[in-house]
Amino acid sequence: MEKPPPEKSGSFSRNGNGNQMDDNPGPAGPESEAVHVRLDCQQPGECEPNSNLEEPSSDPELSLPQVLKDVDRFLESLSTRNDASNNPLDVPNSVESLLEMIQKMITKYDSSAKFGQKQEEDSSFIESLNCISKLINVLGEFPSNSTTASCFNRASTILHLAMSLLDSEFRLILETCSQGNNADLKSPKPLKQSSFSSRQESTYCVIPESKSSEDVEFPAYTSEAISKMNRIATAMISSGYESECCMVYNMVRRNAFSSELDKLGFENISIDDVQRMQWQSLEGVIAMWITVIKHSSSVLFSGERKLCSSIFSEHPSISQRLFCHIALAVAVRFVNFSDAIALTKRSAEKLFKILDMYEALRDLIPFFDDDTCSSECYEELKSEIWAAKGRLGEVAVSIFCDLENSIRRDNGRTPVPSGAVHPLTRYTMNYLKYACEYKDTLEQVFQKHQKMEGFANSNGTVLDIKNGANDDGTPKTSPFSVQLNSIMDLLDENLDMKSKLYRDPALRCIFLMNNGRYILQKIKGSDEIHDMMGDTWCRKRSSDLRQYHKAYTRETWTRLLQCLNHDGLMVNGKLSKTILKERFKMFSTMFDEIHRTQSTWVVSDDQLQSELRISVSAVVTPAYRSFVGRFQQYLASGRQPDKYIKYQPEDIENLIDELFDGNPTSMARRRT
């Protein structure tokens, strides 16, 4: 009959020297329980002598190396026996000597010395424990009623006391050497805008960026402390106390990691709290969440993995498992907040923060995606992050696609005064411009959305998605580019509908020019959106603007120029002064009306405004100068010639330069 394996208890307990220790590390699973040794006597030193033990000799006291050598020979002799049911050889005195030496070491560590102060003594202590652990394993193969039972129990008790000591030292070093890990943050720097205020130019926000791993050291353990913990962990694991060692490490480091997140300003916020918060307040929390994730990826996780690898260098699988459990606990906090944000009411202004969060989780995944992260725990960790990222991506796609509905709903029947750029145009183009700063990210989320649900345009037609550039150089077709083009088409249709609200055809052309120019300038001013729309689209838009320009010139200035036509001035072969006076008077009246009206119109783009004035002046001024130069002499000899020739060519040129300012000017300007 073999000895039963040592029973487990919930914590270490000291029974050998009267000291009591209860670390109470908290609830743990079956693998995290400590050993409870079955004792056959009250105190380790009071075990009844085995009848087969040799009587203590009167030889001089042996040194520790000699004792260890004798015990090793004894263990070797036991390991060569084929039948464990037979009584083993008599236990030599060196075993009892070794146990007494170890107990004295434990007493010394408890009373005055500290583990790690004298490396030579620590090494002897660890070597002795390894020897005792081997002894227990070998003696455990023999029947419980054998002559080795007393020795087995005494050795188990001593080992348990030693492990309790090492457990305390391990915990103490872990807890006391991680002070001062405040992760300072650099000064804020501009990043992508955090929000998009309704139909207004968006401003950039600033959020703090964490220092690089070269600036912040985490965890702040000295090399000496790590070396001590490595020796302790190796000794505990080799002695069968792996679960106790791992339980202490996991508990202390989880708390340290949580404390580090608190220092960075990241707090646990429930879903209910998130739902109640205003978006402006949530933006700040999201910015901090992103900063903490980036800091965790670049500093905290890498530091924790390095610490695990250093302490458990002889046991890589244990190191990986411990780090993964800690990282998973932290990732769950990140994911919980991400899911809470994904459940908030969706609105256009939230898109960019959602994409920032998506990118933060996306950039975190590769850290856990190398060859060293292959366990089931890592798969669970990556699965959690992937799922949270996917939920954010789905929200981003939904918000962006809802922009189409916003354009459709904007069907007001009141025209924008003076033909200015419509607020819908400003809002949509600024929104698209900023959205295209996330072009690569939006391509990813739309591609995934297209794979899950299929992709169709606004008419419901399933689109052929192409990869790479087309043969004619036009941009590739992708789910995001298709959605972008669909929005642009809807905006064009909406603006065309709004242009019909103007009764004056010329003002209708000004409105279309203003909005078309604004759209074109926004696209040309952004490499991202320009790449999405392509040169072909831009050329077509420029062609449309030229057509609007021609239409405006035709509607406004053609009738005016007819006043300067020479036809009809001659009556019976002679110039009719009456008709000539009427022509000059009609020109002045029509020009005054045009000036009075169109000086209140708005062309906000300086280049377009200049182009319009130059083109008008190029058509009107030379024709008027020629007409005045040829026929002014016929009226100069009469009374009040300026009554009919109200403007000189220079006056016309100056007045044209006052068009499209949005401010009425005096119509009573006279030649001086």
Side-chain angles (χ1 to χ4, degrees):
M1 176 179 178
E2 295 183 354
K3 294 182 181 67
E7 298 176 0
K8 293 279 186 174
S9 67
S11 63
F12 283 106
S13 59
R14 298 284 184 90
N15 295 316
N17 56 8
N19 294 334
Q20 184 73 21
M21 172 185 167
D22 184 7
D23 291 314
N24 191 21
E31 295 182 358
S32 301
E33 296 175 345
V35 172
H36 176 73
V37 181
R38 173 170 50 83
L39 300 178
D40 292 338
C41 51
Q42 296 298 321
Q43 295 291 342
E46 297 176 0
C47 292
E48 295 181 2
N50 192 305
S51 60
N52 288 333
L53 291 178
E54 297 178 358
E55 292 295 330
S57 65
S58 59
D59 295 338
E61 184 176 351
L62 298 176
S63 65
L64 180 60
Q66 291 174 320
V67 170
L68 291 173
K69 192 173 183 180
D70 286 349
V71 174
D72 284 338
R73 281 198 297 266
F74 173 64
L75 293 175
E76 185 177 356
S77 66
L78 290 179
S79 63
T80 59
R81 296 176 65 87
N82 296 326
D83 188 1
S85 62
N86 295 330
N87 285 337
L89 298 175
D90 291 339
V91 178
N93 289 339
S94 56
V95 172
E96 179 62 26
S97 298
L98 178 60
L99 295 177
E100 291 178 358
M101 289 179 177
I102 293 175
Q103 188 163 9
K104 288 180 181 179
M105 293 180 191
I106 295 173
T107 303
K108 183 178 180 181
Y109 280 126
D110 275 333
S111 59
S112 58
K114 291 294 182 182
F115 187 88
Q117 290 180 342
K118 296 182 179 180
Q119 187 170 352
E120 185 176 349
E121 292 183 2
D122 296 341
S123 299
S124 298
F125 183 57
I126 296 297
E127 185 179 2
S128 301
L129 295 182
N130 289 337
C131 185
I132 289 297
S133 178
K134 293 177 184 178
L135 177 67
I136 293 172
N137 290 335
V138 173
L139 294 181
E141 299 295 327
F142 292 92
S144 59
N145 59 355
S146 70
T147 57
T148 61
S150 177
C151 182
F152 173 84
N153 285 330
R154 174 146 162 72
S156 298
T157 301
I158 295 296
L159 181 64
H160 185 74
L161 293 175
M163 290 298 109
S164 178
L165 169 71
L166 293 181
D167 177 89
S168 298
E169 291 294 330
F170 192 55
R171 183 192 302 271
L172 182 63
I173 298 172
L174 278 171
E175 290 178 341
T176 58
C177 291
S178 59
Q179 304 300 321
N181 271 335
N182 291 306
D184 297 328
L185 298 177
K186 287 183 176 179
S187 300
K189 74 171 188 177
L191 295 178
K192 294 172 184 173
Q193 80 289 346
S194 63
S195 66
F196 190 85
S197 300
S198 178
R199 302 195 178 182
Q200 294 180 357
E201 299 283 351
S202 178
T203 57
Y204 283 80
C205 82
V206 290
I207 64 174
E209 182 191 29
S210 60
K211 285 188 176 182
S212 64
S213 56
E214 290 79 14
D215 299 322
V216 178
E217 183 179 354
F218 176 86
Y221 292 103
T222 63
S223 57
E224 292 79 8
I226 293 176
S227 178
K228 291 178 190 177
M229 290 188 286
N230 174 263
R231 295 200 301 272
I232 293 174
T234 302
M236 293 184 71
I237 293 172
S238 62
S239 299
Y241 284 72
E242 173 187 333
S243 60
E244 290 78 9
C245 178
C246 292
M247 180 177 66
V248 171
Y249 183 90
N250 187 60
M251 181 185 66
V252 174
R253 291 309 305 158
R254 275 197 190 190
N255 291 338
F257 216 116
S258 179
S259 176
E260 197 68 21
L261 296 183
D262 292 340
K263 292 174 185 176
L264 289 170
F266 180 65
E267 301 176 355
N268 283 324
I269 303 178
S270 68
I271 293 179
D272 291 338
D273 290 338
V274 170
Q275 297 294 326
R276 286 191 292 266
M277 292 177 68
Q278 296 294 321
W279 179 247
Q280 288 76 10
S281 301
L282 277 176
E283 282 186 309
V285 181
I286 292 173
M288 180 55 66
W289 180 89
I290 293 170
T291 301
V292 170
I293 284 190
K294 290 181 177 179
H295 185 73
S296 297
S297 177
S298 62
V299 177
L300 302 186
F301 282 137
S302 57
E304 192 66 40
R305 174 182 280 177
K306 183 179 179 181
L307 178 66
C308 270
S309 299
S310 299
I311 294 178
F312 300 93
S313 56
E314 287 79 7
H315 304 278
S317 61
I318 295 177
S319 169
Q320 290 182 24
R321 186 177 72 249
L322 283 172
F323 170 72
C324 184
H325 287 160
I326 294 172
L328 181 59
V330 175
V332 166
R333 289 183 61 180
F334 294 155
V335 167
N336 287 343
F337 180 76
S338 169
D339 288 344
I341 294 297
L343 291 174
T344 59
K345 184 178 179 180
R346 299 174 184 181
S347 61
E349 65 178 357
K350 298 181 180 181
L351 174 65
F352 306 106
K353 275 300 181 185
I354 296 292
L355 291 174
D356 284 337
M357 295 178 69
Y358 179 95
E359 290 177 347
L361 291 179
R362 178 197 64 194
D363 296 341
L364 180 62
I365 292 174
F367 185 84
F368 305 104
D369 210 17
D370 55 32
D371 294 337
T372 63
C373 305
S374 57
S375 66
E376 291 183 4
C377 177
Y378 280 108
E379 292 304 319
E380 180 184 358
L381 173 60
K382 289 184 286 187
S383 176
E384 288 282 349
I385 300 174
W386 269 103
K389 180 174 72 75
R391 288 186 286 271
L392 289 174
E394 182 181 350
V395 172
V397 169
S398 174
I399 291 176
F400 189 84
C401 290
D402 193 56
L403 185 58
E404 286 190 8
N405 296 327
S406 298
I407 296 174
R408 290 191 182 97
R409 288 192 296 265
D410 196 313
N411 52 7
R413 307 303 298 174
T414 303
V416 175
S418 306
V421 177
H422 199 281
L424 176 66
T425 305
R426 293 185 183 276
Y427 173 80
T428 302
M429 293 312 301
N430 282 313
Y431 196 87
L432 294 179
K433 176 180 179 293
Y434 294 131
C436 283
E437 292 183 6
Y438 295 84
K439 181 181 69 173
D440 294 339
T441 302
L442 284 168
E443 288 281 14
Q444 291 176 11
V445 296
F446 269 89
Q447 193 72 34
K448 185 175 180 62
H449 183 73
Q450 182 256 339
K451 287 180 180 179
M452 291 188 303
E453 302 180 10
F455 198 87
N457 62 12
S458 57
N459 297 324
T461 305
V462 177
L463 298 162
D464 181 23
I465 306 303
K466 302 176 182 178
N467 294 319
N470 299 321
D471 294 337
D472 59 358
T474 56
K476 66 180 180 181
T477 304
S478 68
F480 176 57
S481 66
V482 168
Q483 184 66 26
L484 185 63
N485 277 275
S486 177
I487 290 173
M488 294 303 302
D489 290 342
L490 278 174
L491 180 61
D492 283 343
E493 293 174 7
N494 190 288
L495 292 175
D496 186 67
M497 177 192 69
K498 294 182 186 304
S499 71
K500 293 180 173 60
L501 299 176
Y502 296 98
R503 295 181 179 180
D504 189 334
L507 183 55
R508 183 182 307 154
C509 294
I510 292 294
F511 173 79
L512 291 173
M513 272 192 286
N514 270 325
N515 286 270
R517 184 59 169 251
Y518 185 87
I519 292 171
L520 187 60
Q521 291 301 99
K522 282 293 181 181
I523 289 178
K524 287 184 175 180
S526 168
D527 291 338
E528 293 82 6
I529 193 171
H530 182 269
D531 291 341
M532 298 292 292
M533 301 307 298
D535 291 330
T536 301
W537 187 94
C538 291
R539 285 194 295 269
K540 182 181 182 304
R541 176 66 60 172
S542 297
S543 176
D544 292 341
L545 288 177
R546 288 193 294 270
Q547 295 302 317
Y548 299 147
H549 192 153
K550 290 179 181 178
Y552 160 76
T553 302
R554 183 175 60 252
E555 293 292 341
T556 301
W557 302 103
T558 299
R559 288 180 56 220
L560 180 69
L561 292 176
Q562 288 176 354
C563 298
L564 306 179
N565 198 325
H566 295 183
D567 295 341
L569 292 178
M570 306 298 290
V571 177
N572 297 325
K574 293 183 179 181
L575 179 70
S576 173
K577 291 184 179 181
T578 302
I579 297 176
L580 182 61
K581 291 177 182 179
E582 186 64 28
R583 290 285 184 90
F584 272 111
K585 186 176 181 180
M586 185 182 301
F587 177 89
S588 298
T589 301
M590 291 180 63
F591 185 83
D592 285 346
E593 178 63 22
I594 292 172
H595 183 274
R596 183 185 65 80
T597 301
Q598 297 195 13
S599 62
T600 65
W601 293 358
V602 173
V603 176
S604 53
D605 183 85
D606 291 339
Q607 184 178 351
L608 178 60
Q609 185 187 71
S610 177
E611 290 174 357
L612 283 170
R613 289 171 175 173
I614 290 173
S615 66
V616 169
S617 183
V619 171
V620 176
T621 304
Y624 184 70
R625 179 179 285 112
S626 175
F627 192 82
V628 171
R630 182 169 181 178
F631 298 109
Q632 184 178 16
Q633 57 182 326
Y634 294 101
L635 302 179
S637 59
R639 292 183 178 182
Q640 299 178 333
D642 56 351
K643 179 180 179 181
Y644 305 102
I645 306 176
K646 185 176 182 179
Y647 300 114
Q648 291 299 314
E650 294 76 13
D651 298 328
I652 295 296
E653 194 168 10
N654 291 333
L655 290 172
I656 288 174
D657 283 342
E658 295 176 357
L659 300 179
F660 318 121
D661 268 339
N663 296 312
T665 57
S666 173
M667 296 295 103
R669 179 170 299 185
R670 295 282 184 177
R671 177 169 54 88
T672 59

